[in-house]
Each structure stands twice: as C-alpha cells, then as structure tokens.
Amino acid sequence: MISCLYFWYHINFAYSSFKTFCLVPSYLHSLLPIVTYHWVSSDTENFVDTQVPFLPSVEVLVKALVVISPAVLAGSPNACVQILFCSHHPFLVGSAKRNAVWKRLQKCLQKLGFDPVGLLTANVADLCKSLLGMKGLMSSNNLEQEAAINSLSTLMSIIPGDTYAQFQKHLIDLPDRFEHDALSENDIQIFRTPEGMLSSEQGIYVAESVAAKNVKQAKGRFRTYDNDDSLDQVKSNHSGRWDPPSKEVGGVGKKDAAKSLKKTEKAKTAKEEARDLQLREEACIREKVTGIQKNLSLMLKALGEMALANPVFTHSQLPSLVKFVNPLLHSTIVGDMAFETMVKLSKCTADPLCNWALEIATALQLIVTEEANVLLKLFPPVAEAEVNGGPAVGLFERVVNGLSISCKSGPLPVDSFKFIFPIMERILLSPKKTGLHDDVLQILFLHMDPILPLPRIRMLSVLYHVLGVVPAYQASIGPALNELCLGLQPDEVASALYGVYAKGIHVRMACLNAVKCIPAVSNCSIPQNVEVATSLWLALHDPEKSVAEAAEYVWDCYRYDFGTDYSGLFKALSHDNYNVRVAAAEALAAALDENPDTIQESLSTLFSLYIRDAGFGEDNIDAAWLGRQGIALALLSVADVLGTKDLPVVMTFLISRALADGNADVRGRMIDAGITIIDKHGRDNVALLFPIFENYLNKKASDEEKYDLVREGVVIFTGALAKHLAEGDPKVHAVVEKLLDVINTPSEAVQRAVSTCLSPLMQSKQEDAPALVSRLLDQLMKSDKYGERRGAAFGLAGVVKGLRISSLKKYGIITALREGLSDRSVL
C-alpha cells in the first residue's frame, strides 16, 4: 500500500502542477505502470486499508490520466495500449458511457499535437494481442475483463477493419474452440457434478452412518458412559454428583483411546484410495472444462459487444461471425452466452429487421438445437393460416412477419439475407406445406439477382425440395430456378444438378431446364468434373424418357467422356429414391458396355458393397436393404454386357449370398437377375452353369430355413437353364430327375418353384409322360409324409400344365383322383 500512497500523492501533485510534470516525462513514464497495477487492475477490496484515508473521485482519476498520458506518449508511443486500457476501466468510466473517458482524453491529446487514431492504427496488432491476452480479456479479474471488452469495442468503432481482422485471427486460432468440440459427454457430466462428489454418485442417495446412535443403550445401573454424548451430558450436569471412573475403567479408556487413534491413523482401504484418485482426476477435468467455459464465454461476450459498437461494419461480417457462434448454440456449457451473442448480432441486421432481433436469435437457436419434427409443430398449418387470417402469433410467424415488413421497400441487403436465410430454409424444408410457405417464397423470390453473392446452391436445393413437396408451385419456382442459375459459376454446376436425384419427374425436368441457364453450360465451357459427369450420366439413363431427352442437351455441352470412375454410380445404387437406383443400374451397365475391361473390377465392388450392407441390420431392422436392392438391379441391368468368364462368378455370388437374403424384395430381384442372365447367356453356357446348380442341390442342409431359400432359387435357375436344352438332349432327363428329387423338400416355396420349372420341360418328355404321371400319383396317394404328398401334388400340377389340359383324361389323372377321394384310407 506504500506504493499506492506514493501514487495518490503524485496524482494530486500532477493535477495541480501540470507544467512540472511535462518537464519530466521520464518520471511520468515510470508512474504509468503504478496506475495500471495498483489502481486499475485492483478490485475494490485492494483499496480497503487503514493506511489509505480516502479514494479519489472518478473526476480526479480521469484528470490524472489526462495529465499523465501526453507525457507518457511523448516518451513511449507504445504506451497507447495501457492508456487505452486505463481509459476504459470501470473505475474511471463509472456510470458514463464506456468510451466517454477515451473521447475526453482523445480531445486533449489532439490539442497537444498527438494523433490518437494514428497511434492506435499503427499498433492495432499489439493492441488486440494485449487486450485479448492474460492481462486483458483472459484475466482472472472481472474489472480487467470489462476494461478489455470496452477497449475492443472502442477500437471496433474507430478502426473496425483492422480490429476485426485481428480478432477474427484470434477466433480461428482459439485453442478453447477445438477443445470444446473434443469434450465428451462424460466430461460434461463431471463438470456438472459438485466438487467432492464423483460423477457416478450424482443423484444417488448416500445414507448417513447412524449405527452408533441406533444401538439400544443399557438402562439403570447397567448403563455405562462410554460414548461422548453421555459423557458430555454427565459433565454438563453440574447439579448432580459425578464420580470419577475406577482405575480399571480408566485403564480400559486409555486402551480404547489408543485403539481409536490407531484406527484413524490406519491407511485407507483400496476402495477409498481408488475413490480419492478418481476424485482428483475428475477435479482436473472439471477445472479444464471450467477454463474452456470461461474463455469461450469471454470471447462470445467480447464479440457481441464489439458487434454492437459498430453495427454497420458488423453487418458486412455477419455471415462469417455466424460460423463461429452458430455451432455453440447447442453447447451445454456456453449455449446461453452464445444465444446472447446471437441476439446482439441480430441487432446488427438491416433496419427495420433488427427490431425482431430476439425472435430471430431464438429461431436460429431452435433450428440448431431442435429436431425437425419439433420445429414442424411450431409452423402453423395451412388450414389455420387460411382460416384465422389474423396477425401472426407464433415465433416463426413473427419472424416471417418482420421479414415481410422489412422487404416492403425491396430486397434485403445481401448480408442480412444470408443471416436470416437459415430460418426461411428450415421452414421450406418441412416435409409438408405450412401456412408460412407462400410468404417465405415471396420473400425468397425477391432475392434472385444473378450478380449478388447469394447462397445460391442452398436456395436451389430448398426450391427443389419445395417443388417436390408442393408440385403446384411449379409455375413460380421454375423461373426462380432459372434466374438463380444465371449467377452460378462453372464449379457450381455439380451442385446445381442435385435435382436430378429427386423423386418427382417435374423436379428433375425443372432442374435440367434450369441448369441450361448456367453460363458455363450455355457456353459449353463446363470444366471436367466427376460429379457433373455422374449426375448427367444418371439423367441420361433416367427411367422417364422425357428426363433422359432433356439431359442429352446438357450432356452434349459437357464435351467429355464419362470415364471409368463409377464411385458416384455405386453410391447412387443405395439412394432413397427408387428411380435413382434404377437409373444408376442402367447407367452402370452402359458404362461397362463402353469399358468392358472394368467389368470384373465392378462386379467385385458390387459384391463387396452387398456384403457390407448385409451386415448393417440390427435388432431386426434392415437398414441397408435399399443398397442391396440397387445391387440386384445393377446385376439385372448388366446381364447383356457380361462375358462367359463372368457367369460363374455372378452365379456363385447369387447362390452363396444373395438367394438367402433376409429381405423378400431383394431376394426376388436377385432371382430375377439370375433368370435374366441365364436367358441371355444360357443357350451357349449350359455345360458351364449346370454343374454349379447341380453341385448345390446335392449338398446337405446346415440351416434348413436358409437352405430352402437358396434351394428354391437354384431350382428356378435350373429350370430356366433347362429351357435352352434341345428336345432330344439327354440333359433334359437329368434335369427333370433332379427337379423331382428336389420337390420332396418340405418347403412350399421350393415345391412351387419346381412346379413352374417342370412345365416347359414336358414337351421333351412326351414319351415318358405316362410313367412320370404314374410316379407322381403313386407318391401322392401312398407316401407317409405330408411334405412329399404336397410336393407330388405341385409336381403333378406342373406336368399337367406342360402336357396341356387333355392329359388329365389321357393319363387317367381325373379317375385316379376320384378313386383317391373315395378311398378313406388315403384320406
């Protein structure tokens, strides 16, 4: 405190003898650190000392700073950091505006020939570094933190460009931001746990140890005072007589005391030591999270105050500032401060939109933190909006109302539009039309200027979505898409083609028509790009002919070959929309037709993707069946381009993997793919394929259910292959015998498949028909097993279908069935 007294003495002396101080600038320069340390950086408690008779008034402090600053700057221009900091300290500012002292000091300095703004501009990097450092914003002293924020705000109002550049650089390199993102749920739980308690113990009731008090005490003359409460009670009873204990009792007491002392000194148990260790570890984590919370909160607070200090400049930086604040809105440790900062940023939007700052910030926070189904409940339904027709009352209604009022005189400035666009985007991305759609679209249509730097890709994407949800908007959205595409750059063509993956035909057509308006497309100067090629190649093979024809124009403007990168096509095979999966399958087949050398590698990729997707199912939920269906569609489409060497690989895959697929749709499409391949290549490859089927049918079942599924498919494949045999081919007899053997499988699906396969083979078995019918009738009437009798019935049905209806009478089938019905032993 001696130095403080020394300082106050010189303050008064300086105020009364300004000229004298000006003559000794080196002496004054040595006083400024005393000002900073003993006066400004201390809190109120530092001044409470019996040796200090009083605190100078704010006016005295301000005048002292005004007197000292010129001499200090004359001796050391770098001292402007300390002068700026001191002039914004709460002790000097008091109840005035935070820059009031600085303005007063600035005028005095200018009168004495100094250029305060020039000094700040020349030292802006050092100023920001100091103000954002441990002696400024990151100080442990709240007053110093506030002084730093005030100083930064003033800098923002004087030299906003340089100040923001330094501040943004600090934001980008802020370690706490990355550490915050790396925090685990366990870290957050520990942070919320009180000191001295384990996070695993939070919420668990720990009973107090009251065993000693619950022990039933002896009464009367058998009672002994062997506990502290009883002893204290006796000692406190001054009116009664207290006899000291006997020597024996005293001796026992000493022994008990020694024992209790040993127990207290005894080492902790392993469980207690483990708990203490865990407490120390959690304390370290809690300290770390607390530090992250403090630093991020201070940065957010400084950001908000700096934004309000120069709202005009901040408006131009809103898109970049939001990138820092927006991800922190859902933070569990700094979310509240991030929201306060977002409110302040919202106040920097264009007038009069800034009047809805609180609503805008709240909506932005909800978009980040809430799920889509929760937000949908906040949007008014169409019916309600049409019926009520009154003023908006909901949050998003108020925001849209504010937007409509703000856009009455024309479109918003670009930066305000970018700031508010996520709210409009979230409304339009709802899965159904809301009562806000019409108003939001009208606002969106005002912002289509091809020159302005708008978020065009996101606007295109949201309009594609709206068009898919509400086809009635086609007349208004189509021209808007065209106008948006007029401002797209060549590297944005791929993103603009996102609409070709839509479910609706009208959306895909609108997308291709809009893409034609992109200057790079109309000038045929699209750069070579895999994504562009993939999207256009898919559109060329769209199942809808009109879409494929529209894509031909854009493809001709691309002027490059598709190439051999099929990664986009493989990805599209698992797309949510069926039309995209079909288009991807056809597009892959066309690409393989142009590049036959890539067939084997592509097949290998398809098989690997199937194996990957087959392992995604959990808890009876098949999450990846769409991808496996897409692979089945691809195998069906590539049937024409497969070579002889590819057939065994594909058929082995179908038998070993695909025919046992747990999804009936996928399994059916895999069978269709196999039949198509056999129809295309079976005639020339009977000898190659028949042994593959025969080998499997000869195997014994390890898993009956799975075996029946595969057996059914193989039987169908065998029948499809047998159709390619000549009538006199001896293999026909072998196939029929194998089918009759398989028909005994106790699976209705397998038996139906055999019945279907027998029919086309009967034209080659006309001579053996009587014996074949007799064999099946005998099994039908006399077999002891129900499954075999049912199989014979299916087989007989297939034979009759192949031999025509006349065979029922010709071979006595009707007579035999009637006799069987009358014979109760058969029934």
Side-chain angles (χ1 to χ4, degrees):
M1 294 306 299
I2 296 177
S3 58
C4 289
L5 290 172
Y6 179 75
F7 165 69
W8 296 129
Y9 170 77
H10 284 286
I11 284 291
N12 290 308
F13 179 71
Y15 180 55
S16 61
S17 306
F18 174 70
K19 294 181 180 180
T20 306
F21 271 87
C22 290
L23 296 175
V24 284
S26 59
Y27 177 67
L28 289 175
H29 180 68
S30 64
L31 285 179
L32 194 58
I34 303 176
V35 177
T36 306
Y37 180 75
H38 290 289
W39 159 37
V40 177
S41 67
S42 302
D43 54 22
T44 310
E45 294 179 358
N46 294 118
F47 292 103
V48 180
D49 195 294
T50 55
Q51 298 179 19
V52 180
F54 66 94
L55 279 176
S57 65
V58 172
E59 182 63 22
V60 171
L61 298 178
V62 171
K63 289 181 178 179
L65 182 64
V66 170
V67 170
I68 293 175
S69 297
V72 173
L73 283 176
S76 176
N78 294 330
C80 60
V81 178
Q82 294 172 311
I83 293 175
L84 180 70
F85 185 86
C86 292
S87 63
H88 288 87
H89 197 280
F91 277 175
L92 271 74
V93 175
S95 59
K97 292 184 178 180
R98 61 188 172 195
N99 62 346
V101 177
W102 166 254
K103 285 185 175 181
R104 181 175 172 182
L105 178 61
Q106 185 179 2
K107 290 180 180 179
C108 294
L109 291 174
Q110 288 173 344
K111 289 180 180 179
L112 295 174
F114 291 95
D115 181 11
V117 176
L119 288 172
L120 295 180
T121 305
N123 297 278
V124 64
D126 293 335
L127 282 168
C128 291
K129 183 178 180 181
S130 177
L131 293 173
L132 294 170
M134 298 305 298
K135 294 183 179 180
L137 184 64
M138 296 302 165
S139 171
S140 59
N141 187 293
N142 294 334
L143 297 177
E144 290 185 354
Q145 296 169 8
E146 189 174 348
I149 292 175
N150 292 341
S151 302
L152 288 168
S153 299
T154 296
L155 284 177
M156 191 72 170
S157 63
I158 299 175
I159 41 176
D162 295 338
T163 303
Y164 176 72
Q166 294 297 323
F167 187 77
Q168 186 183 39
K169 181 180 178 182
H170 189 77
L171 281 180
I172 295 173
D173 299 334
L174 189 64
D176 298 281
R177 183 68 180 84
F178 305 107
E179 292 178 5
H180 171 274
D181 295 341
L183 291 176
S184 64
E185 293 182 3
N186 186 50
D187 294 337
I188 302 299
Q189 185 178 356
I190 292 171
F191 170 72
R192 291 176 171 175
T193 305
E195 192 75 31
M197 179 186 292
L198 292 176
S199 57
S200 57
E201 297 173 348
Q202 192 173 17
I204 300 176
Y205 173 71
V206 180
E208 183 183 359
S209 179
V210 293
K213 296 183 180 180
N214 291 337
V215 175
K216 188 175 181 181
Q217 301 294 333
K219 296 182 179 180
R221 61 189 182 90
F222 298 103
R223 182 176 182 182
T224 59
Y225 302 104
D226 55 353
N227 59 74
D228 294 338
D229 293 339
S230 301
L231 186 59
D232 292 340
Q233 184 177 359
V234 173
K235 287 183 178 180
S236 62
N237 188 7
H238 299 291
S239 60
R241 181 182 177 184
W242 177 70
D243 297 327
S246 62
K247 293 182 180 180
E248 290 79 11
V249 176
V252 173
K254 290 180 180 179
K255 291 180 181 179
D256 291 342
K259 288 181 180 179
S260 62
L261 182 61
K262 289 181 179 179
K263 286 182 179 180
T264 56
E265 294 177 351
K266 188 178 180 181
K268 295 181 179 179
T269 63
K271 186 176 181 179
E272 291 173 335
E273 288 183 352
R275 184 178 184 276
D276 289 343
L277 178 61
Q278 190 174 353
L279 280 173
R280 289 194 293 271
E281 292 176 353
E282 291 195 357
C284 293
I285 295 175
R286 189 177 297 108
E287 183 180 1
K288 172 187 172 184
V289 179
T290 302
I292 295 173
Q293 181 192 43
K294 174 210 165 190
N295 294 341
L296 278 180
S297 297
L298 287 172
M299 289 300 296
L300 287 168
K301 184 178 180 181
L303 176 59
E305 294 300 324
M306 291 171 66
L308 292 178
N310 196 335
V312 175
F313 177 82
T314 302
H315 179 267
S316 65
Q317 304 298 327
L318 281 177
S320 61
L321 289 172
V322 169
K323 291 179 181 178
F324 177 78
V325 181
N326 211 43
L328 295 175
L329 286 172
H330 60 75
S331 171
T332 55
I333 62 175
V334 295
D336 293 341
M337 183 57 69
F339 173 72
E340 292 180 15
T341 304
M342 188 62 77
V343 173
K344 294 173 182 176
L345 293 179
S346 301
K347 292 180 180 179
C348 298
T349 53
D351 187 66
L353 185 62
C354 57
N355 296 327
W356 286 269
L358 182 60
E359 288 86 351
I360 292 172
T362 305
L364 290 173
Q365 185 184 42
L366 287 174
I367 290 171
V368 173
T369 57
E370 298 297 337
E371 297 179 356
N373 57 347
V374 176
L375 290 173
L376 185 60
K377 296 178 181 179
L378 300 176
F379 303 150
V382 179
E384 180 182 329
E386 293 176 351
V387 172
N388 293 342
V393 293
L395 171 66
F396 286 93
E397 291 172 293
R398 292 198 298 272
V399 173
V400 174
N401 184 47
L403 276 168
S404 300
I405 294 174
S406 302
C407 293
K408 280 186 177 180
S409 58
L412 295 170
V414 175
D415 296 306
S416 287
F417 176 77
K418 287 182 177 180
F419 184 81
I420 201 73
F421 176 72
I423 300 177
M424 295 188 287
E425 181 183 41
R426 183 62 264 175
I427 294 171
L428 296 177
L429 285 177
S430 60
K432 60 183 180 181
K433 184 181 179 182
T434 70
L436 301 174
H437 266 61
D438 292 338
D439 292 337
V440 173
L441 284 174
Q442 290 303 317
I443 295 168
L444 200 64
F445 293 157
L446 290 174
H447 303 82
M448 297 287 169
D449 194 311
I451 300 176
L452 297 177
L454 301 167
R456 298 181 183 277
I457 298 303
R458 291 175 64 180
M459 294 170 71
L460 283 171
S461 179
V462 75
L463 288 178
Y464 290 149
H465 175 81
V466 173
L467 192 55
V469 173
V470 192
Y473 282 134
Q474 187 172 357
S476 58
I477 288 182
L481 291 172
N482 298 343
E483 196 169 355
L484 277 174
C485 285
L486 287 173
L488 290 181
Q489 300 302 315
D491 59 347
E492 295 176 312
V493 175
S495 300
L497 284 167
Y498 171 78
V500 301
Y501 296 88
K503 184 178 181 180
I505 298 172
H506 61 288
V507 180
R508 306 201 293 275
M509 287 295 297
C511 169
L512 291 169
N513 290 331
V515 168
K516 294 176 185 178
C517 299
I518 301 176
V521 175
S522 58
N523 298 332
C524 295
S525 58
I526 309 173
Q528 189 172 14
N529 184 284
V530 174
E531 294 182 17
V532 172
T534 301
S535 298
L536 291 176
W537 193 252
L538 275 171
L540 280 173
H541 297 88
D542 194 279
E544 186 65 30
K545 186 178 179 181
S546 59
V547 176
E549 291 175 352
E552 288 181 4
Y553 173 83
V554 185
W555 178 257
D556 291 339
C557 295
Y558 181 58
R559 295 186 175 182
Y560 293 101
D561 294 331
F562 177 65
T564 58
D565 188 344
Y566 308 149
S567 57
L569 299 180
F570 290 135
K571 183 179 180 180
L573 288 173
S574 59
H575 197 276
D576 290 342
N577 296 331
Y578 176 73
N579 59 284
V580 177
R581 299 195 295 274
V582 173
E586 292 295 330
L588 180 61
L592 294 179
D593 189 31
E594 292 188 1
N595 302 281
D597 294 340
T598 61
I599 292 177
Q600 292 184 349
E601 183 181 354
S602 298
L603 288 175
S604 177
T605 302
L606 289 174
F607 301 156
S608 299
L609 291 174
Y610 178 89
I611 294 171
R612 182 202 67 183
D613 291 346
F616 277 167
E618 295 181 2
D619 299 331
N620 298 323
I621 299 176
D622 192 354
W625 74 272
L626 293 179
R628 302 201 304 278
Q629 185 204 67
I631 293 168
L633 293 172
L635 291 176
L636 178 68
S637 298
V638 302
D640 286 330
V641 301
L642 293 177
T644 301
K645 61 182 178 180
D646 303 318
L647 299 180
V649 178
V650 175
M651 287 302 170
T652 301
F653 164 75
L654 291 174
I655 294 172
S656 62
R657 293 278 186 179
L659 295 184
D661 196 285
N663 185 281
D665 182 84
V666 174
R667 191 167 61 252
R669 293 181 186 276
M670 288 294 183
I671 292 175
D672 291 342
I675 292 174
T676 304
I677 292 171
I678 293 171
D679 289 343
K680 300 288 184 181
H681 305 278
R683 183 178 298 277
D684 301 327
N685 296 280
V686 173
L688 179 65
L689 297 177
F690 189 73
I692 298 175
F693 304 149
E694 189 176 28
N695 288 338
Y696 183 82
L697 294 176
N698 290 333
K699 289 182 179 180
K700 293 183 179 180
S702 56
D703 183 344
E704 289 294 340
E705 183 179 357
K706 179 179 178 181
Y707 179 74
D708 287 344
L709 293 175
V710 180
R711 196 175 182 87
E712 175 190 355
V714 175
V715 167
I716 295 173
F717 291 165
T718 303
L721 182 62
K723 290 188 296 184
H724 296 290
L725 297 174
E727 290 188 6
D729 196 321
K731 288 189 178 68
V732 174
H733 177 73
V735 170
V736 171
E737 287 300 319
K738 178 59 67 177
L739 291 175
L740 292 176
D741 181 50
V742 171
I743 208 170
N744 292 324
T745 302
S747 169
E748 184 176 345
V750 174
Q751 292 169 348
R752 286 182 182 275
V754 171
S755 178
T756 304
C757 293
L758 280 173
S759 300
L761 299 177
M762 288 300 101
Q763 296 301 320
S764 300
K765 297 287 289 182
Q766 294 285 348
E767 297 179 358
D768 300 331
L772 184 59
V773 170
S774 176
R775 174 180 171 182
L776 290 172
L777 284 172
D778 188 62
Q779 181 176 334
L780 177 66
M781 301 297 182
K782 299 179 181 180
S783 178
D784 296 332
K785 298 179 179 179
Y786 169 75
E788 292 181 358
R789 294 198 303 274
R790 185 182 61 188
F794 277 112
L796 190 61
V799 169
V800 170
K801 183 178 179 181
L803 296 175
R804 303 289 185 266
I805 193 70
S806 60
S807 62
L808 289 172
K809 183 178 180 181
K810 182 178 180 180
Y811 300 112
I813 298 174
I814 294 295
T815 303
L817 292 176
R818 284 176 179 172
E819 292 176 354
L821 288 172
S822 61
D823 187 355
R824 292 189 175 277
S825 62
V826 176
L827 297 175

